[in-house]
Amino acid sequence: SVWPLVGFVAELPKNLRDEFSILIALHCGSKGANHLMLQPLIEELNSTLIKPIVFNVKINGRVVKKQLSVFLLVNICDSPARSKALNIKGCSSRLGCNVCLIRTMDDSCKNFLKISELNYRKNDEWRRVAKEVTELKLDTKKDNELILEKYQGVIGVNPFMSLDYIDLPLISVTDVMHCVFLGVTKWIIDYWISKSPSIVQNINEKM
């Protein structure tokens, strides 16, 4: 499989933003990439905060020296890649959401929840838990239940933690394909079918 890491400059107009995409990294192999693929990029971004990029531009016939630092605005990827990038349990696990701590196998998930009722992840707590898990060197398979029950599904530290301005629960946007089209749509169909068992029989007969 091939995993490309592509960057866009948010300040550019959309037509130029799409045209001038930047290939930052490329992973290929029999296994998918993990969070370490982001490390060189994060190190480069951090270096611009310490030593900004200096360049000259001509404005009204005058050469003006400018300097800039580069900030990471948002991480956009599908749910499986998001879990790898954030170094948390997979998106289909009990704690696979990067925003909240609602357990997907709990009965509460069978009902509609108010936004105010959600148990959200907290940036400071995530960072603390990630460091603790890393220091303990927990095994993702052997210690799976411990990671889920005590450490909120966090497998360890991730490169985003090196950027102090990053809010971990909010750095990755929601993946529409897995979280809506495959998730909510499936939930609605399951709910609809469960109310009328005869529907399943009719569908089976037609198939």
Side-chain angles (χ1 to χ4, degrees):
S1 61
V2 176
W3 292 53
L5 181 60
V6 181
F8 296 89
V9 179
E11 285 78 5
L12 291 176
K14 187 178 185 308
N15 61 318
L16 293 178
R17 191 188 315 156
D18 294 340
E19 183 178 352
F20 293 100
S21 60
I22 306 168
L23 180 62
I24 297 173
L26 184 66
H27 170 88
C28 61
S30 57
K31 294 184 178 181
N34 58 30
H35 61 284
L36 297 177
M37 181 180 181
L38 294 166
Q39 193 63 46
L41 168 65
I42 301 300
E43 291 175 357
E44 288 282 349
L45 293 177
N46 258 332
S47 69
T48 68
L49 301 180
I50 301 171
K51 186 178 180 181
I53 300 171
V54 179
F55 59 96
N56 295 325
V57 294
K58 184 174 287 189
I59 302 176
N60 297 326
R62 294 176 57 247
V63 176
V64 180
K65 180 178 289 188
K66 295 280 187 177
Q67 64 179 27
L68 62 84
S69 297
V70 184
F71 293 85
L72 179 64
L73 179 62
V74 68
N75 172 49
I76 303 174
C77 54
D78 67 2
S79 294
R82 181 195 66 211
S83 298
K84 288 180 177 293
L86 294 173
N87 205 19
I88 60 177
K89 297 297 291 184
C91 58
S92 59
S93 76
R94 295 200 298 272
L95 287 169
C97 179
N98 61 299
V99 177
C100 74
L101 291 170
I102 298 297
R103 296 173 182 273
T104 56
M105 298 180 73
D106 283 356
D107 290 337
S108 60
C109 290
K110 298 178 182 179
N111 304 312
F112 290 101
L113 296 172
K114 295 180 180 178
I115 296 297
S116 59
E117 296 175 346
L118 293 178
N119 182 16
Y120 291 101
R121 290 183 182 272
K122 296 177 176 61
N123 181 53
D124 293 342
E125 178 69 6
W126 187 336
R127 291 172 181 266
R128 183 193 66 77
V129 168
K131 291 178 181 178
E132 185 173 339
V133 173
T134 300
E135 290 172 358
L136 292 174
K137 298 180 180 179
L138 297 181
D139 183 90
T140 56
K141 293 183 178 179
K142 180 182 177 182
D143 302 309
N144 182 60
E145 286 302 315
L146 180 62
I147 291 173
L148 286 170
E149 295 302 322
K150 184 176 180 180
Y151 297 108
Q152 305 176 352
V154 176
I155 298 174
V157 297
N158 65 64
F160 295 120
M161 294 174 62
S162 299
L163 301 173
D164 294 334
Y165 58 86
I166 291 294
D167 191 325
L168 293 176
L170 301 180
I171 187 59
S172 296
V173 298
T174 301
D175 165 23
V176 176
M177 180 178 69
H178 287 88
C179 297
V180 179
F181 300 147
L182 294 181
V184 177
T185 303
K186 180 180 182 298
W187 183 88
I188 291 174
I189 292 174
D190 288 343
Y191 182 81
W192 170 54
I193 290 177
S194 67
K195 294 297 181 180
S196 303
S198 60
I199 293 178
V200 179
Q201 183 178 350
N202 291 335
I203 293 176
N204 288 337
E205 291 174 354
K206 291 179 179 180
M207 294 180 66

